[in-house]
């Protein structure tokens, strides 16, 4: 059994896949398995992945017979993971810190009271142009103060304990924000932290969301927050902010 399971779900991201997978190969930490769930892509995703399998990489590849959506695909991938720790790499992102896995494994090995460890990111568009950087609160105390106001983790940055993720039921059944819900659930089981290091290039789609998608996302965010009343600080303020987000999405 590998120490770390790398979880990826993908759908029609063939143009980004090689950079993402190469960034795994270049990691200094080598005790990993790579679990990929392809949600019935219609591009050449399968061909690209099979070329990497031919190289002898420890890849578990599953192709869904039909498109089942990101949440079911994430939970399917999670069920296939056997590592002590899970780390996520979305198929249009890439790890730029070659010691990312090593740093996270060493920290979690030494700090059994922590359940999840994230980091910072460089934001890029589809053309790879840098648009900014993201760094969130680092200490457990500061993360708890802010996490209902806004998600304090980037999915492709995190490493978390598989057993804890299984205990809390994996990714929640939300149209948007299933990772946010998982982080909140895990925070009820142990401590959370972020590194000050920049771990990834995070691809943010420049085309933007339609107002319907923004509204849908805002409503999901509100629903998630409501589930954590009295469990994290600043609930009332987070609720007000969530309602304002819905109003702005409509305008």
């Amino acid at each position: 059994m590998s120490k770390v399971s790398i979880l990826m779900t993908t759908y029609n991201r063939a143009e980004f896949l090689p950079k993402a997978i190469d960034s795994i190969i270049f990691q200094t930490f080598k005790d990993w398995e790579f679990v990929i769930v392809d949600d019935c892509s219609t591009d050449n995703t399968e061909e690209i992945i099979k070329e990497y399998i031919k190289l002898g990489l420890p890849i578990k590849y599953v192709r869904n017979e039909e498109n089942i959506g990101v949440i079911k695909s994430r939970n399917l991938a999670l069920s296939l993971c056997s590592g002590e720790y899970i780390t996520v790499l979305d198929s249009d992102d890439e790890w730029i810190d070659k010691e990312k896995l090593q740093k996270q494994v060493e920290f979690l090995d030494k700090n059994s009271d922590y359940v999840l460890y994230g980091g910072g990111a460089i934001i890029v568009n589809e053309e790879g142009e840098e648009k900014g950087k993201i760094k969130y609160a680092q200490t457990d105390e500061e993360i708890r103060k802010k996490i209902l106001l806004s998600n304090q983790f980037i999915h492709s940055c995190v490493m978390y304990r598989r057993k804890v993720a299984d205990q809390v039921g994996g990714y929640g059944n939300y149209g948007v924000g299933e990772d946010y819900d998982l982080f909140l659930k895990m925070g009820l089981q142990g401590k959370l932290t972020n590194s000050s290091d920049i771990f990834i290039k995070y691809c943010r789609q420049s085309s933007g969301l339609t107002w319907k998608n923004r509204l849908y996302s805002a409503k999901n965010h509100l629903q998630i927050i409501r589930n954590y009343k009295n469990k994290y600080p600043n609930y009332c303020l987070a609720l007000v902010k969530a309602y304002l987000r819905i109003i702005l999405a409509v305008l």
Side-chain angles (χ1 to χ4, degrees):
M1 183 178 72
S2 301
K3 182 77 170 180
V4 174
S5 295
I6 302 167
L7 185 158
M8 176 184 285
T9 58
T10 187
Y11 176 68
N12 288 348
R13 288 290 183 268
E15 63 182 305
F16 301 107
L17 266 176
K19 280 189 176 181
I21 298 175
D22 287 348
S23 75
I24 295 173
I25 296 171
F26 294 145
Q27 287 289 303
T28 58
F29 184 86
K30 301 298 183 183
D31 187 10
W32 49 261
E33 63 172 3
F34 186 19
V35 178
I36 310 173
V37 172
D38 174 5
D39 198 15
C40 199
S41 294
T42 58
D43 59 10
N44 63 326
T45 288
E46 183 174 12
E47 289 77 9
I48 291 171
I49 294 171
K50 286 184 175 179
E51 286 300 313
Y52 281 97
I53 292 174
K54 288 178 182 178
L55 297 177
L57 298 176
I59 294 175
K60 295 179 183 178
Y61 174 59
V62 174
R63 175 179 165 83
N64 295 335
E65 293 183 1
E66 60 182 8
N67 186 275
I68 63 174
V70 65
I71 300 164
K72 289 182 179 179
S73 293
R74 288 203 201 284
N75 280 321
L76 173 58
L78 184 59
S79 73
L80 296 171
C81 293
S82 61
E84 180 180 356
Y85 303 134
I86 306 291
T87 189
V88 179
L89 181 58
D90 288 339
S91 54
D92 52 359
D93 298 333
E94 62 178 298
W95 293 335
I96 56 174
D97 185 340
K98 294 181 180 180
E99 296 184 339
K100 173 194 179 290
L101 296 183
Q102 187 71 46
K103 292 172 182 177
Q104 291 178 305
V105 168
E106 288 179 355
F107 180 89
L108 291 173
D109 278 351
K110 293 175 182 177
N111 297 275
S112 59
D113 50 340
Y114 282 82
V115 295
L116 187 145
Y117 181 16
I122 294 173
I123 303 170
V124 297
N125 61 17
E126 297 98 320
E127 288 73 42
E129 298 169 335
E130 184 174 335
K131 296 298 180 180
K133 293 182 180 179
I134 304 175
K135 283 191 178 182
Y136 290 119
Q138 295 173 29
T139 67
D140 180 69
E141 181 181 5
E142 286 301 310
I143 289 170
R144 289 179 187 280
K145 287 179 182 178
K146 296 179 178 181
I147 196 165
L148 284 188
L149 298 169
S150 65
N151 189 357
Q152 294 296 298
F153 296 98
I154 304 161
H155 202 201
S156 288
C157 278
V158 300
M159 180 178 286
Y160 54 81
R161 298 185 187 275
R162 178 175 60 84
K163 287 185 178 180
V164 177
D166 290 342
Q167 287 169 5
V168 301
Y171 293 94
N173 189 24
Y174 297 93
V176 178
E178 73 284 347
D179 55 335
Y180 182 35
D181 179 63
L182 176 62
F183 306 152
L184 288 163
K185 288 189 292 189
M186 294 195 72
L188 301 179
Q189 305 300 316
K191 291 183 177 180
L192 310 168
T193 189
N194 273 310
S195 172
S196 61
D197 295 337
I198 298 290
F199 283 158
I200 71 164
K201 282 186 179 179
Y202 167 60
C203 183
R204 179 173 288 174
Q205 304 299 320
S206 61
S207 56
L209 297 173
T210 66
W211 74 268
K212 286 185 178 179
N213 287 335
R214 289 198 301 270
L215 181 59
Y216 183 63
S217 176
K219 286 182 175 180
N220 270 269
H221 184 78
L222 174 61
Q223 185 181 356
I224 291 170
I225 287 172
R226 282 175 168 167
N227 291 334
Y228 295 91
K229 183 179 181 180
N230 301 323
K231 296 178 181 178
Y232 288 95
N234 296 315
Y235 172 76
C236 290
L237 182 58
L239 205 61
V240 171
K241 185 177 179 181
Y243 276 113
L244 286 174
R245 184 178 172 187
I246 291 174
I247 292 169
L248 290 173
V250 174
L251 296 177

